[in-house]
Amino acid sequence: MQTVKIFDTTLRDGEQAPGYSMTIEEKLRMARELEALGVDAIEAGFAIASPGDFESVRAIAGVVKSASVVSLSRAITKDIDAAWEAVKTAARPRIHTFLATSDLHLAAKLKMTREEALERIRSAVRHARNLCGDVEFSLEDATRTDPDFMCRAVEAAIAEGAATINLPDTVGYARPEEIRAMVANVMNRVPGIENVCVSMHCHDDLGLAVANTLAGIEAGARQAECCICGIGERAGNAALEEIVMGLATRRDAYNLATNVNTKEISRAAKLLSSITGVKIAPGKAIVGANAFAHESGIHQHGVMANAKTYEIMTPESVGARRSALVLGKHSGFHAFSQRLEDLGYTLDKALEKDLFAKFKALADRKKSVEERDIVALVESAVGRRSNPDDWTLDNYVVSSSNKMFSTACVTLVKNGKTATESAFGTGPIFAAIRAVEKIVKHPFSLEDFQIQAVTERRDALGEVTVKVADSTGVYRGRGVSTDIIEGSILSTLDAVNRMLTGSAAALGTGASADAQHSFCDDLLSAGHTDKE
Ligand code: KIV
Ligand code: ZN
């Protein structure tokens, strides 16, 4: 059976999408998971784009053993050189260079004639091949490129040694029939096409990215470029899990395999969500919380009689679990530790013990602790080791009213010393965060604040994700508690500790010191003071 290669671009095209930026450490965690998932290639970034991108591609190249590590580059010598510098230590390095080929892009963006574009493709691929044995060439905006010119461009790239030819639907415009015709045109007319791998890279602007990718595969493409959960520019890229499970579930129709260990899919999606703080929509195909939930009585009855009645694939096949074992306050360390292992976490004993203490405290407040609660506890604790200089929460009191400003009095501890401040705000969370800002004496702005119930019941844990910024950058923080004020303070402290101790890289550049106003300023500039 032939194989379709899975080229993951979560860390490049995916990371470009707003809200998905990751630090180098987070990208490394994700890259390790992608390797465990069994993808054939990991596009680790766009090396020339920024020093941070360059460093993360280089770091990923240093740890990934089995998958190809790829850097994107425009068809420009200095981009290609940077891409090579970043990937050259990888076990399987690849340079991915691209040039737009549609008349629209050539005229409006590149100001190039078709002949000049052909010459640029030749020189770029030649230069890349002189550096690296594995070169991919992409015809950006392929789906709006003249079919005859496309054949000439593909032929030029192959003649210079490109091993993979990618035909992106850059703007998510094509229909599956058109993709099939485009791939067939290239497969039938370009000399030497049988010696290279044709790749699909489809965007989801019209919701057709996966359908278009599968159509391209039907017509002969043997590489699919995709992202976990379909993240990516604008409406995103084709979702990796949907392509892989589409091929696996309908092997009768496609007769094609992938190298993906489908049982890792769920874990990879959860990791991405926990790193970025962006929740997976409950109805998301394959990895959403409801993807295998049967609500209606008729469906439940059918599934009990024979799961195949309403299940075309099993939750186990994607690493999801059918039933969540409930743990309670009488559960011991061993059961807790076993549960962590079952969930796929390999943590050091000290962290496990710390988490067990948090689990016990939670079990005291909450009747039953579900798997999702444990995942939330773990995810709020991993990713950054605590630092002796961290601020931690001792206690807080808030008062809140629908007629007056809310007030908060917060006590934090650092190096054994306590500090207390009070502040007011338009709501209790706002007031509590202002009190934190006053204690740490470091102005920051709040860039993002999200709160989500981990489970559905009334005693649910609240998971709070914040992004705070100062002039050094943007920092993400996470906190969980059955009390949303406590969760908000914990997540703010997590982010502020990252900011103040330099123990974690920033997600991106923050506002400049001048342009930035602190969280406290928000109210002060509205003419209010804490004395009110
Ligand atoms: O969408 C696109 O065309 C791309 C290329 C750079 C591969 O991301
Ligand atoms: Zn793209």
Side-chain angles (χ1 to χ4, degrees):
M1 193 183 303
Q2 286 187 26
T3 301
V4 175
K5 291 187 197 148
I6 299 298
F7 176 114
D8 180 274
T9 183
T10 305
L11 298 174
R12 197 278 296 170
D13 211 321
E15 207 244 355
Q16 276 170 222
Y20 287 96
S21 44
M22 296 175 225
T23 64
I24 295 190
E25 292 74 26
E26 291 168 341
K27 286 185 189 172
L28 276 169
R29 274 177 80 198
M30 202 62 226
R32 288 200 178 94
E33 177 52 36
L34 290 171
E35 191 165 41
L37 183 62
V39 304
D40 300 277
I42 297 173
E43 189 161 50
F46 194 168
I48 195 89
S50 71
D53 255 52
F54 182 89
E55 277 316 319
S56 36
V57 179
R58 195 158 62 170
I60 291 168
V63 299
V64 168
K65 303 274 178 306
S66 53
S68 300
V69 177
V70 188
S71 172
L72 186 66
S73 70
R74 289 170 299 180
I76 297 175
T77 307
K78 70 172 179 2
D79 277 38
I80 296 170
D81 291 342
W84 174 240
E85 277 307 307
V87 297
K88 70 181 181 192
T89 58
R92 298 153 72 108
R94 181 185 298 180
I95 297 176
H96 177 191
T97 187
F98 72 98
L99 189 78
T101 48
S102 65
D103 287 335
L104 176 62
H105 277 237
L106 285 177
K109 187 179 82 177
L110 299 173
K111 317 253 181 279
M112 248 184 218
T113 64
R114 287 184 179 183
E115 292 311 314
E116 285 165 341
L118 288 178
E119 195 34 54
R120 177 69 77 80
I121 292 169
R122 285 192 202 98
S123 60
V125 175
R126 191 181 315 133
H127 183 59
R129 273 295 272 117
N130 282 337
L131 298 170
C132 182
D134 185 3
V135 172
E136 169 166 343
F137 177 71
S138 283
L139 293 79
E140 192 190 10
D141 205 21
T143 49
R144 294 189 297 173
T145 296
D146 171 68
D148 293 338
F149 181 61
M150 180 181 301
C151 290
R152 293 179 65 203
V154 171
E155 190 175 350
I158 295 176
E160 296 296 342
T164 306
I165 296 293
N166 183 33
L167 303 174
D169 187 18
T170 303
V171 290
Y173 173 75
R175 296 178 302 128
E177 296 74 30
E178 290 160 351
I179 295 279
R180 262 185 226 102
M182 173 182 78
V183 174
N185 176 48
V186 167
M187 301 295 277
N188 294 334
R189 291 176 53 199
V190 178
I193 194 79
E194 62 286 358
N195 302 322
V196 303
C197 179
V198 174
S199 175
M200 296 310 306
H201 174 116
C202 298
H203 280 270
D204 208 31
D205 300 67
L206 293 174
L208 290 171
V210 172
N212 282 339
T213 305
L214 292 171
I217 290 170
E218 278 167 16
R222 288 294 174 265
Q223 176 174 281
E225 304 198 358
C226 41
C227 296
I228 303 288
C229 293
I231 68 170
E233 279 279 342
R234 305 183 309 282
N237 287 72
L240 178 146
E241 63 279 4
E242 295 176 24
I243 295 170
V244 169
M245 290 315 289
L247 292 172
T249 309
R250 297 307 312 274
R251 191 161 284 177
D252 60 317
Y254 294 107
N255 196 27
L256 291 166
T258 69
N259 292 319
V260 168
N261 172 7
T262 61
K263 294 204 163 104
E264 282 294 318
I265 284 179
S266 188
R267 195 198 310 264
K270 279 188 194 148
L271 179 63
L272 177 68
S273 165
S274 94
I275 285 177
T276 59
V278 182
K279 298 285 163 203
I280 304 172
K284 169 76 190 65
I286 318 292
V287 291
N290 295 345
F292 296 96
H294 302 282
E295 194 68 33
S296 95
I298 296 175
H299 287 204
Q300 284 177 353
H301 178 237
V303 169
M304 277 190 290
N306 180 344
K308 286 193 176 145
T309 49
Y310 289 101
E311 256 177 30
I312 58 168
M313 55 199 151
T314 63
E316 292 80 9
S317 67
V318 297
R321 294 154 61 89
R322 205 176 278 278
S323 61
L325 185 82
V326 172
L327 295 176
K329 63 177 174 184
H330 300 299
S331 308
F333 179 71
H334 184 70
F336 178 74
S337 169
Q338 183 60 48
R339 173 62 11 157
L340 290 179
E341 203 180 309
D342 294 348
L343 285 166
Y345 293 109
T346 321
L347 307 173
D348 61 48
K349 279 283 165 256
L351 181 55
E352 274 195 11
K353 291 217 165 100
D354 188 37
L355 285 167
F356 183 60
K358 289 189 172 140
F359 157 75
K360 280 291 201 185
L362 177 63
D364 266 342
R365 290 191 193 182
K366 209 171 174 283
K367 230 162 108 193
S368 54
V369 181
E370 290 183 29
E371 214 165 80
R372 286 178 285 167
D373 296 319
I374 296 174
V375 170
L377 279 184
V378 178
E379 294 301 342
S380 67
V382 295
R384 177 181 176 271
R385 298 216 170 274
S386 59
N387 188 302
D389 287 332
D390 278 356
W391 285 101
T392 56
L393 174 64
D394 182 51
N395 67 71
Y396 67 90
V397 182
V398 292
S399 91
S400 171
S401 149
N402 61 339
K403 297 272 166 132
M404 287 179 292
F405 276 125
S406 302
T407 56
C409 180
V410 177
T411 301
L412 301 182
V413 186
K414 181 174 158 177
N415 296 324
K417 293 207 176 90
T418 58
T420 303
E421 281 287 354
S422 57
F424 71 94
T426 44
I429 293 176
F430 188 0
I433 298 178
R434 288 189 69 216
V436 168
E437 191 186 38
K438 286 168 84 178
I439 295 174
V440 303
K441 295 190 175 53
H442 183 90
F444 57 82
S445 61
L446 188 67
E447 305 278 306
D448 191 27
F449 180 93
Q450 290 184 41
I451 188 157
Q452 174 114 5
V454 174
T455 52
E456 295 79 16
R457 279 194 280 277
R458 285 188 193 184
D459 60 356
L461 266 185
E463 187 177 25
V464 184
T465 313
V466 298
K467 281 186 193 156
V468 302
D470 68 0
S471 56
T472 64
V474 181
Y475 300 82
R476 190 189 295 117
R478 201 174 272 121
V480 286
S481 171
T482 46
D483 179 318
I484 56 167
I485 314 281
E486 184 177 24
S488 305
I489 297 175
L490 292 175
S491 61
T492 306
L493 286 178
D494 185 28
V496 167
N497 283 329
R498 288 166 196 261
M499 180 183 270
L500 297 181
T501 60
S503 60
L507 288 171
T509 334
S512 81
D514 295 346
Q516 185 143 353
H517 63 286
S518 83
F519 197 67
C520 285
D521 289 342
D522 288 343
L523 274 188
L524 300 181
S525 62
H528 304 295
T529 72
D530 279 321
K531 301 210 169 52
E532 281 174 72

